[in-house]
Amino acid sequence: MSQSPWLSRLHSQPERHGDQRSGFQRDKARILHSAAFRRLQAKTQVLGVGMNDFHRTRLTHSLEAAQIGTGIASLLQQKFPQLADELDLNDSLIEALCLAHDIGHPPFGHGGEVALNYMMREYGGFEGNGQTFRILTKLELYTADAGMNLCRRTLLGLVKYPGLLSELQAPSQPGKEPTPPKLKDWIPAKGLFDDDKEVFDWLLQPLSENDRTLFTTAVHQPDVHAKTRYKSFDCSIMELADDIAYSIHDLEDAIVTGIVTKEKFIRLVYEPIKALNLDGLSPAMYQLTEQLFSDRHYHRKDAIGALVNRFITATEIDRSDEHFEEPLLQYNAVLPQPFADALGLFKQFVYEQVIQSYEVQVMEFKGQQLVMALFAAFSADPMRLLPENTQARWIDAEKHRQGMRIIADYIAGMTDEFASRLYNQLFLPKSSSGQSLNGFTY
C-alpha cells in the first residue's frame, strides 16, 4: 500500500531503529527541540518581556494554544466521529501545529514584524507567518537544506495564508516617508515569501490543478492588501485555538496587571455578549465577569477555564467550499456565527484596550526603532557586523541578490533580550552586558 503524499517529506529520511512514533509525533518532537521554539520564551506576546514576571510570552502562549487545539480535536472526534475519521484528525498533528505557529515572529511582537517589513520593503517584504514557513522548510538545521523536514500535511496546516507576498501586496505604498517612518502604513500583507516559492509549489503538488487554483485565490480590493480565502482543515483548528488563547488567556494578563478595568469590560464585552443570548455563555456572563475581576486568583482562573471551555465545545465542522476535491480543503473547524461574534468581542477588547494602550505602544515603538537600527547597521556593513555563519549565508545569497533576506532571517530569529543587548553593544558607549554574542545562527 502506497504512502499518502501528505505524509511525505522534502527529503526522505530513514526511521531510527525501534522508533514506533508516527510521522506527526516526530514532527512535534522536532518542533519542541528546535532552537526557534526555545527562543519563544523570550519573545513578546502582548506585554513586553520584562514588564513583570506574570505575563505570557510567545512560548507560554503557544503551549496554551496547543492545549486548546488538542481540546478542539478531541471535541470534534466526539461530535463528528465519521467525518473526523475520514479526515484522519490527529491529536499529535494539531499539537505540533499549535506549538509551531508563532516561531517565525520576530522580537517585539507585531511591532517588530512591521519594522522588518518596512526595512525589507524593496526586497520582498517580511511577514511572521511567512517566516515560520521559512524556518520550518529551510533555516532550522535539522537537515542540510530542508529545515525541520516536516511532513507535507504538517506544513500545509501551518500555511494560514496560501499566497505569495508579491501577489497579495497592495500595488501602492506611501511615498516620501517621515523620519522616523509612520510604520502603521507598513503593516505587511499576509502570505509567503517569493524566495520560498519552490517549496510552496512542492507543498501543493498532491492537489489537482483546480484545487491549487482555488486554494490560492485571494480577494482583491483597491489600495489594500489582498487577502487569501482558504486554509486547510488542520490549519483552521490551529487558528481557532490561537484566537481563543489570544482572546481569553491574554485577557488575564491585562486584568492582573491593571491595564483594563471592569467598567470597560462590562460595557464592551459583557453587555454585548449578554444581548447575543448565547446558550451556556450569555446567562453566565455576570458571574464570569465578577470572577474575572475578583481579587482571588482561583476565581479568575475558574472563569478563564469556563470561557475557554465554552468556545471549545461550540466548535463545529463545516464545509469551506464544495468545489474542492481534496477533503482536507473541503472542511474547516468553525464557531457558529453568534459564538464567533462573541469571541470577536473578546479579541477586539484585547486589541483596543491592551495592544493599543499607551504602555504597550511605547514599548512597541522602542522595539521598532531598535529593529530598524540593527537592520540598517547590518545591511550597511554585513561582512563586519554579521557573525561568521551568517556572513557565509549572506555571501551565498548575494550571488542571487538576496542578501537582505539573510539579514531579515538573522534579526527575526532574535529574542527581545538578545536584540536589545546587541543594540547596546553596537550603539551605546558601554555595553551593560559582558556576555558573548557568538554562536547565534540564522
Side-chain angles (χ1 to χ4, degrees):
M1 185 176 179
S2 62
Q3 177 179 270
S4 165
W6 296 112
L7 298 178
S8 63
R9 303 176 187 272
L10 273 164
H11 289 178
S12 60
Q13 286 181 289
E15 295 181 11
R16 293 187 177 96
H17 177 71
D19 191 348
Q20 300 300 312
R21 296 173 300 169
S22 70
F24 300 137
Q25 288 173 324
R26 288 196 291 275
D27 285 354
K28 184 180 78 171
R30 292 179 186 188
I31 292 163
L32 274 172
H33 295 290
S34 67
F37 183 74
R38 289 196 300 276
R39 290 186 189 117
L40 296 180
Q41 66 186 303
K43 289 193 178 187
T44 291
Q45 169 61 12
V46 173
L47 303 181
V49 172
M51 287 182 71
N52 57 59
D53 61 359
F54 174 85
H55 68 271
R56 288 157 171 86
T57 64
R58 288 275 179 193
L59 179 65
T60 57
H61 162 76
S62 298
L63 293 171
E64 288 172 336
Q67 181 71 15
I68 294 170
T70 53
I72 293 173
S74 296
L75 182 279
L76 294 179
Q77 286 163 348
Q78 295 177 24
K79 285 177 73 171
F80 305 90
Q82 183 175 348
L83 193 51
D85 187 58
E86 291 176 7
L87 294 168
D88 197 18
L89 179 53
N90 185 285
D91 290 357
S92 294
L93 169 61
I94 299 303
E95 189 174 7
L97 299 182
C98 294
L99 291 172
H101 79 281
D102 266 354
I103 63 173
H105 280 280
F108 309 109
H110 286 289
E113 177 187 39
V114 174
L116 266 183
N117 184 54
Y118 173 74
M119 300 305 289
M120 287 290 291
R121 63 194 182 277
E122 296 179 5
Y123 310 103
F126 180 88
E127 198 269 332
N129 297 284
Q131 189 69 13
T132 292
F133 186 77
R134 185 168 170 82
I135 289 172
L136 297 172
T137 61
K138 191 170 294 184
L139 300 180
E140 191 69 34
L141 299 176
Y142 274 72
T143 60
D145 56 3
M148 294 190 200
N149 200 29
L150 304 179
C151 291
R152 185 185 255 121
R153 179 166 173 174
T154 305
L155 290 176
L156 183 70
L158 283 159
V159 176
K160 294 171 65 173
Y161 309 101
L164 300 176
L165 286 184
S166 63
E167 299 168 356
L168 301 170
Q169 194 81 19
S172 60
Q173 283 282 11
K176 185 177 180 180
E177 287 295 312
T179 303
K182 191 176 180 182
L183 289 178
K184 75 173 186 178
D185 292 332
W186 293 93
I187 295 173
K190 300 293 186 182
L192 305 178
F193 305 138
D194 288 57
D195 293 342
D196 302 316
K197 181 180 183 301
E198 184 177 348
V199 182
F200 186 44
D201 289 341
W202 171 86
L203 176 64
L204 302 184
Q205 277 179 7
L207 300 177
S208 67
E209 183 177 352
N210 171 76
D211 279 7
R212 282 197 300 270
T213 301
L214 184 58
F215 186 54
T216 56
T217 56
V219 178
H220 293 264
Q221 295 180 346
D223 302 323
V224 296
H225 298 316
K227 296 181 179 180
T228 57
R229 297 178 59 192
Y230 300 107
K231 59 184 66 66
S232 72
F233 172 67
D234 304 316
C235 184
S236 70
I237 297 176
M238 175 269 285
E239 189 167 44
L240 183 55
D242 182 26
D243 281 348
I244 293 173
Y246 166 83
S247 304
I248 308 299
H249 282 301
D250 289 355
L251 172 64
E252 182 183 12
D253 286 357
I255 292 173
V256 171
T257 54
I259 292 179
V260 300
T261 64
K262 183 178 179 181
E263 291 71 26
K264 285 185 177 180
F265 183 83
I266 289 174
R267 177 167 55 87
L268 298 173
V269 180
Y270 163 69
E271 291 179 349
I273 289 181
K274 188 176 179 182
L276 289 173
N277 293 319
L278 291 173
D279 181 43
L281 182 59
S282 295
M285 279 303 295
Y286 175 79
Q287 180 182 353
L288 291 173
T289 300
E290 292 299 309
Q291 289 180 300
L292 283 172
F293 289 89
S294 169
D295 58 0
R296 298 185 183 276
H297 186 67
Y298 59 86
H299 284 161
R300 188 167 54 251
K301 297 303 291 186
D302 185 58
I304 293 292
L307 286 167
V308 169
N309 177 72
R310 191 63 194 98
F311 285 112
I312 288 176
T313 55
T315 307
E316 299 178 348
I317 298 178
D318 194 17
R319 192 181 293 271
S320 61
D321 195 312
E322 63 183 9
H323 296 98
F324 280 118
E325 302 166 31
E326 169 57 54
L328 289 176
L329 304 185
Q330 283 182 15
Y331 298 97
N332 276 178
V334 298
L335 285 173
Q337 194 56 52
F339 278 93
D341 293 341
L343 186 62
L345 288 167
F346 279 98
K347 190 173 183 179
Q348 187 70 13
F349 184 76
V350 171
Y351 176 77
E352 292 180 351
Q353 303 301 316
V354 183
I355 293 178
Q356 294 297 313
S357 68
Y358 171 78
E359 297 91 337
V360 173
Q361 285 300 303
V362 167
M363 292 198 67
E364 181 177 284
F365 177 83
K366 181 178 180 180
Q368 288 175 324
Q369 305 312 306
L370 189 153
V371 165
M372 291 190 294
L374 289 177
F375 191 100
F378 295 141
S379 60
D381 203 346
M383 293 303 294
R384 183 183 184 190
L385 299 177
L386 292 175
E388 288 186 11
N389 49 15
T390 308
Q391 283 182 24
R393 293 187 60 240
W394 183 86
I395 291 170
D396 186 59
E398 267 298 280
K399 298 173 184 176
H400 309 285
R401 298 185 178 181
Q402 295 175 345
M404 295 302 181
R405 180 61 63 195
I406 305 306
I407 293 174
D409 290 339
Y410 180 49
I411 295 175
M414 295 178 183
T415 64
D416 296 20
E417 180 185 358
F418 185 96
S420 298
R421 196 165 72 245
L422 183 53
Y423 177 91
N424 290 343
Q425 290 199 352
L426 289 176
F427 295 104
L428 299 186
K430 182 178 180 180
S431 172
S432 59
S433 171
Q435 299 179 25
S436 171
L437 294 170
N438 295 328
F440 182 81
T441 57
Y442 290 7

